[in-house]
């Protein structure tokens, strides 16, 4: 994902990405055993007071180091940066998640690395700017706030071929959920599923009821935009 376009962090308030007094602090190791017997360990080290080093180590075959990943961050621009282990699709194979630059909104830069079962190495699987990342009904769903009263969701179908990493430019669907009203009352929620085609987009139907539940983001009744059935639509 293109970070400037994807984070959408500065629509309502000036960005505060730099924190002059932030310094690196080392973290305790985090460890997870995978269903294939391999083990992932992540830890934050300090290359200097101004520079974090995130280290992820994959061991397999009784403790042999199969791969080692290092990612560095400037602390001043990534005061909320961190590394952790997640299991996105709850398949017993963990991923490494590195979070970075944040801004005025809830979205933060994020990169996810997963184990390639063929090579037993860590591959760059996803790159974006998001509030939440999850798998729903076989789709990777990235959620982020796009303005005061709207959220944007980017979707990738996991069983379809994609160049890696998954990012904004190769997503399969976008879902826009917008609302009107005020700070105390949410009303007029409109939910639109879009398929990108170059510079154009086409309104489509939700691929499944599970994915349509994205429209329930505000917890209110919503209007689902009707699919574009125009012949020759992109």
């Amino acid at each position: 994902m293109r970070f400037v376009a994807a984070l959408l962090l500065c629509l309502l308030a000036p960005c505060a990405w730099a924190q002059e007094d932030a310094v690196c602090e080392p973290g305790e190791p985090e460890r997870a055993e995978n269903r294939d017997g391999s083990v992932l360990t992540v830890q934050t080290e300090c290359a200097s007071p101004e520079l974090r080093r995130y280290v992820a180590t994959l061991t397999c075959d009784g403790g042999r180091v199969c791969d080692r990943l290092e990612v560095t961050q400037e602390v001043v621009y990534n005061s909320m940066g961190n590394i952790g282990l997640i299991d996105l699709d709850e398949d017993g194979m963990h991923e490494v998640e590195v979070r970075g630059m944040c801004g005025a909104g809830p979205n933060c830069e994020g990169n996810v690395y997963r184990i390639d079962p063929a090579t037993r190495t860590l591959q760059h699987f996803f790159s974006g700017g998001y509030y939440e990342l999850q798998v729903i009904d076989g789709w990777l769903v990235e959620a982020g706030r796009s303005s005061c009263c709207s959220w944007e969701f980017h979707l990738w179908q996991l069983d379809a071929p994609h160049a890696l990493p998954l990012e904004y430019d190769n997503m399969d669907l976008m879902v826009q959920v917008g609302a009107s009203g005020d700070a105390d009352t949410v009303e007029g929620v409109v939910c639109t599923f879009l398929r990108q085609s170059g510079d154009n987009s086409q309104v489509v139907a939700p691929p499944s009821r599970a994915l349509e539940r994205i429209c329930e983001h505000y917890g209110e009744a919503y209007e689902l935009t009707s699919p574009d059935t125009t012949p020759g639509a992109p």
Side-chain angles (χ1 to χ4, degrees):
M1 181 183 292
R2 293 173 182 170
F3 182 55
V4 174
L7 283 182
L8 301 168
L9 298 175
C10 305
L11 297 176
L12 304 176
C15 285
W17 289 346
Q19 184 175 327
E20 296 296 340
D21 58 353
V23 295
C24 178
E25 296 183 4
E28 293 296 324
E30 183 179 349
R31 178 184 185 277
E33 185 170 343
N34 297 305
R35 70 168 189 227
D36 66 352
S38 64
V39 175
L40 265 175
T41 305
V42 297
Q43 185 170 10
T44 302
E45 301 176 348
C46 295
S48 71
E50 298 80 24
L51 193 66
R52 288 193 197 98
R53 180 190 296 121
Y54 298 126
V55 179
T57 304
L58 174 66
T59 58
C60 50
D61 302 329
R64 178 175 64 89
V65 175
C66 292
D67 200 13
R68 177 182 168 92
L69 171 73
E70 293 189 7
V71 178
T72 57
Q73 283 183 349
E74 291 185 81
V75 178
V76 67
Y77 296 113
N78 299 276
S79 60
M80 301 297 290
N82 62 85
I83 188 171
L85 295 173
I86 57 176
D87 186 356
L88 270 175
D89 46 7
E90 299 181 348
D91 64 350
M93 297 296 291
H94 293 78
E95 293 88 20
V96 176
E97 183 182 40
V98 177
R99 301 304 300 266
M101 188 182 295
C102 302
N107 306 339
C108 297
E109 181 183 31
N111 286 277
V112 176
Y113 303 84
R114 71 174 181 183
I115 301 170
D116 181 344
T119 62
R120 309 293 289 276
T121 58
L122 291 164
Q123 62 181 186
H124 194 184
F125 172 63
F126 175 82
S127 180
Y130 54 94
Y131 168 70
E132 184 179 37
L133 195 65
Q134 61 182 315
V135 172
I136 301 175
D137 200 27
W139 294 67
L140 181 67
V141 179
E142 176 193 46
R145 193 172 72 187
S146 56
S147 73
C148 70
C149 309
S150 65
W151 282 69
E152 194 168 284
F153 301 80
H154 305 146
L155 283 65
W156 295 262
Q157 189 171 5
L158 291 178
D159 63 0
H162 294 91
L164 294 180
L166 303 180
E167 54 189 348
Y168 184 89
D169 288 340
N170 62 11
M171 68 176 159
D172 296 310
L173 293 176
M174 178 188 296
V175 185
Q176 297 171 339
V177 184
S180 57
D182 54 37
D184 300 317
T185 305
V186 173
E187 58 186 29
V189 178
V190 177
C191 182
T192 307
F193 280 73
L194 297 164
R195 185 180 302 279
Q196 301 298 119
S197 178
D199 295 332
N200 301 310
S201 60
Q202 177 188 8
V203 179
V204 297
S208 69
R209 173 56 188 155
L211 287 172
E212 187 179 336
R213 293 195 181 97
I214 292 172
C215 300
E216 301 170 3
H217 175 78
Y218 287 100
E220 302 289 339
Y222 60 88
E223 175 186 344
L224 182 63
T225 305
S226 298
D228 182 0
T229 58
T230 304

